[in-house]
Amino acid sequence: MSRPRSRRALLASVATTAAATTGGFEYPAGGTSRSSLRFEIVPADRYECDAVDRPEPEPTADDDALDPQAYPAPPSATGTDENRTPSAWSSSAPSPSPGASSSSPTTVSQYVVDFERAYRQNAFLVRFGSMAGTVDLRLTDRRLSTVTTGDERTAVLVALCYDLTTGTRQSAPTTEWDIRVTYYVDERIVLRAQYDGLAQEPAFDPDPRTQGELVACFE
């Protein structure tokens, strides 16, 4: 069995593949320059892992209640079970379509999709507890961009657009349309930011490096 790839190596290979298949690196339409998007990596000592802030609902004894969703393992994780094999983490694997199932991450962008699904379900559970009934995230678009520096550090920016349907056990489901979130992922941290408005495209706005919250940390 081959040795698992490091998180840094995976990030670098995924970012390079994304740039090649999309015709270059992606940049938002306004505000952030090409150089700042491509070269600004978050300093390794900016965050401490005990500063992670994300929804963590308490388990409930109600068998009919919606269950908390586990956050996915970091992108370098590998295993031998049926849902996480070394080959499933290959950066050369095809990127899933926007509406595809996310049971087994294959790229950094898919890791972010899985993370966002868990984040939104857990946030709804924190708010409504055992009365939470429905959380359905339907991905509509995504964008991936690399961030590199001269010291061989590599990170990935991911923008997701999706619709979210939620409902309690006492109310009919309602749908929030055109949501956009942005993520920054490097070998140590994950930052998340959400756009305040209706998203027309998966742009990197807001920039999670300056406006995001620390939602995962790998020690």
Side-chain angles (χ1 to χ4, degrees):
M1 178 174 155
S2 61
R3 183 177 180 178
R5 303 171 66 188
S6 69
R7 186 176 301 113
R8 178 176 296 182
L10 179 65
L11 287 167
S13 62
V14 168
T16 302
T17 301
T21 57
T22 59
F25 301 103
E26 299 285 356
Y27 305 98
T32 307
S33 69
R34 172 183 295 262
S35 61
S36 64
L37 257 184
R38 187 172 176 183
F39 296 109
E40 288 185 7
I41 284 186
V42 175
D45 59 354
R46 178 175 294 179
Y47 294 97
E48 297 294 335
C49 283
D50 58 7
V52 167
D53 184 12
R54 65 190 187 190
E56 296 281 4
E58 294 292 332
T60 176
D62 189 341
D63 292 337
D64 296 325
L66 194 65
D67 291 326
Q69 188 165 336
Y71 291 99
S76 67
T78 60
T80 56
D81 63 82
E82 61 182 1
N83 291 324
R84 189 178 294 122
T85 63
S87 60
W89 289 86
S90 171
S91 63
S92 61
S95 181
S97 61
S101 171
S102 59
S103 61
S104 179
T106 57
T107 64
V108 174
S109 67
Q110 189 60 39
Y111 163 80
V112 169
V113 173
D114 289 340
F115 194 100
E116 183 65 12
R117 291 188 192 279
Y119 187 99
R120 294 310 297 251
Q121 180 157 318
N122 291 341
F124 196 69
L125 280 165
V126 167
R127 182 177 179 185
F128 290 100
S130 62
M131 297 309 298
T134 300
V135 178
D136 181 22
L137 187 156
R138 295 179 301 283
L139 189 66
T140 58
D141 206 352
R142 76 178 92 187
R143 179 175 291 181
L144 177 68
S145 177
T146 189
V147 188
T148 58
T149 63
D151 61 0
E152 297 185 350
R153 290 190 65 204
T154 300
V156 175
L157 290 170
V158 181
L160 305 179
C161 289
Y162 61 86
D163 303 326
L164 183 71
T165 298
T166 58
T168 70
R169 294 161 67 181
Q170 295 181 330
S171 65
T174 59
T175 299
E176 185 179 356
W177 308 97
D178 299 326
I179 300 168
R180 181 169 72 222
V181 293
T182 55
Y183 277 79
Y184 167 92
V185 183
D186 67 19
E187 72 275 7
R188 185 171 182 269
I189 63 171
V190 178
L191 303 175
R192 176 189 183 274
Q194 182 168 338
Y195 179 67
D196 184 16
L198 296 178
Q200 301 301 316
E201 61 181 1
F204 300 115
D205 176 26
D207 189 332
R209 292 167 296 184
T210 56
Q211 297 175 266
E213 295 183 345
L214 180 68
V215 291
C217 187
F218 318 123
E219 294 188 281

